[in-house]
Amino acid sequence: MPASHPAPPSSIRLASSDFAGPDKAAALRELYGRELMRVDLWSHANAQGSFEFSTSVTTLGQDVVHARTLCTPAHQARSRALMQDGCDDIFLATSRAPMVLRTPHGEQHLPANSMVVVSKAREYEVITPCGGPTACVLMPHASIAPLVPRLEEAPLLVLQPGAPSGALALAYAQLLAESAPLAPPQQDLAVAHLRELLAGAIAPALQAHLPPGRAAQATPRLALIRHDMQARLGQASLSLEEVARRHHLTPRQVQRLFAQEGTCFSDALREARLDRARALLQAPAQRQRRVLDIALDCGFADISTFNRAFRRRFGLAPSDLR
């Protein structure tokens, strides 16, 4: 039997503007809350006016889901009645605004950008009294249990704002959700990395249990760094130090990540700029632009440096490509 792979990412986008009439909140509660996220959902007393809500829910693989939501003040609750569905997903969630985590044993008031790890096998309520953006990643208990020795049946964990492992897991999940679908083997590997990151957020000692060369954070960190570099290729001053600072690493740590792929930061940046320049030179919509303007837009300081680098990489002059 052939090996199974996660299905390509698929997204559902839903907003309160899609609904009209007095039953709008009820429709959102049923479709997003109970069908997609398996929670009850209702407006918080702080909300002024109607309940406004928008979300994007992306299935990254057979058992991994990423969701980003923007809403007015709200409650989301996993009730004892809903727990009868048997779902035991574990999710990592964060909110840019303060939130309240409430269980039968009490409640915790959490500052903005805190993160929580909660199991749907327990009764809980997450309250965002100020509304705002939230994000979460979910996967079944059985997917994480092999990676976390003595994982509780229904874990509950509060992470401090900016906790590295949790923040990296959420950022990598968002990157996968927003990127073009990968081929099945790469998607399979990406989901495995995400599973390791979430397990690492639950049990920081996970790194010590991984085989050599399988540091859970290396590949996702490098993917996020490359994504960040792509967004800033036009900045001629983009430096190793700036990228390291943005990702809360040292320059040496960033260089080590690139070394694992047999390259270095400066070479990777130059190749990304050249690839962008070639794509622009070949684009019909860019045909009237000067080569110099394209080179500058891709972060090259002068045309002679660009021409030499382009010829070494592709074996022809930029003007010849046209």
Side-chain angles (χ1 to χ4, degrees), residues 1-318:
M1 180 180 296
S4 60
H5 297 287
S10 60
S11 294
I12 296 175
R13 289 176 171 80
L14 183 66
S16 52
S17 57
D18 299 330
F19 301 87
D23 294 333
K24 176 169 70 172
L28 279 170
R29 186 163 53 246
E30 185 64 29
L31 182 55
Y32 172 80
R34 297 197 171 188
E35 292 191 21
L36 292 178
M37 306 302 288
R38 299 173 183 261
V39 295
D40 280 323
L41 174 69
W42 68 93
S43 182
H44 188 274
N46 288 353
Q48 299 179 358
S50 60
F51 183 42
E52 300 301 329
F53 185 95
S54 64
T55 187
S56 175
V57 181
T58 303
T59 301
L60 302 176
Q62 294 177 353
D63 60 354
V64 181
V65 173
H66 174 263
R68 295 181 68 193
T69 301
L70 177 63
C71 69
T72 51
H75 293 247
Q76 293 190 34
R78 179 76 170 164
S79 66
R80 188 166 295 276
L82 286 177
M83 288 169 58
Q84 300 304 310
D85 62 12
C87 178
D88 66 350
D89 286 358
I90 295 173
F91 71 92
L92 169 67
T94 189
S95 171
R96 288 191 191 171
M99 58 181 170
V100 179
L101 176 63
R102 182 179 295 164
T103 71
H105 304 290
E107 67 179 34
Q108 294 176 268
H109 292 255
L110 308 177
N113 299 312
S114 295
M115 290 170 277
V116 295
V117 176
V118 187
S119 169
K120 290 188 180 293
R122 71 160 59 237
E123 191 176 354
Y124 68 85
E125 185 176 349
V126 175
I127 306 165
T128 50
C130 300
T134 62
C136 71
V137 58
L138 306 90
M139 61 182 66
H141 184 283
S143 296
I144 305 174
L147 297 176
V148 183
R150 298 180 296 280
L151 178 64
E152 296 178 10
E153 182 179 350
L156 173 64
L157 179 66
V158 175
L159 307 180
Q160 295 301 312
S165 53
L168 181 57
L170 289 166
Y172 188 56
Q174 180 177 329
L175 176 62
L176 295 178
E178 295 177 348
S179 301
L182 300 171
Q186 287 73 36
Q187 187 68 24
D188 198 351
L189 185 59
V191 170
H193 287 316
L194 182 56
R195 185 179 293 110
E196 291 174 348
L197 288 175
L198 184 53
I202 298 171
L206 169 67
Q207 295 293 324
H209 298 285
L210 291 175
R214 284 294 311 281
Q217 298 185 357
T219 298
R221 276 199 186 281
L222 186 55
L224 290 167
I225 288 171
R226 286 187 178 276
H227 181 73
D228 189 31
M229 289 167 56
Q230 285 289 336
R232 291 170 172 75
L233 291 180
Q235 298 178 9
S237 61
L238 185 64
S239 67
L240 171 63
E241 290 72 20
E242 178 186 349
V243 169
R245 184 171 60 252
R246 288 178 56 82
H247 291 266
H248 307 288
L249 299 169
T250 67
R252 185 170 182 176
Q253 287 173 318
V254 174
Q255 287 286 33
R256 279 203 207 104
L257 292 173
F258 282 100
Q260 291 180 13
E261 292 193 347
T263 186
C264 65
F265 172 82
S266 58
D267 287 350
L269 179 59
R270 183 177 60 254
E271 290 182 6
R273 284 173 166 161
L274 289 170
D275 288 340
R276 170 77 62 82
R278 181 175 65 171
L280 291 175
L281 288 167
Q282 293 178 314
Q286 304 288 324
R287 192 171 298 278
Q288 301 304 317
R289 297 188 65 200
R290 296 186 305 167
V291 173
L292 172 61
D293 293 333
I294 289 177
L296 294 175
D297 282 353
C298 293
F300 288 92
D302 58 77
I303 190 65
S304 59
T305 299
F306 171 66
N307 284 335
R308 287 196 300 271
F310 196 94
R311 186 179 291 276
R312 281 198 302 268
R313 175 78 187 279
F314 301 115
L316 73 170

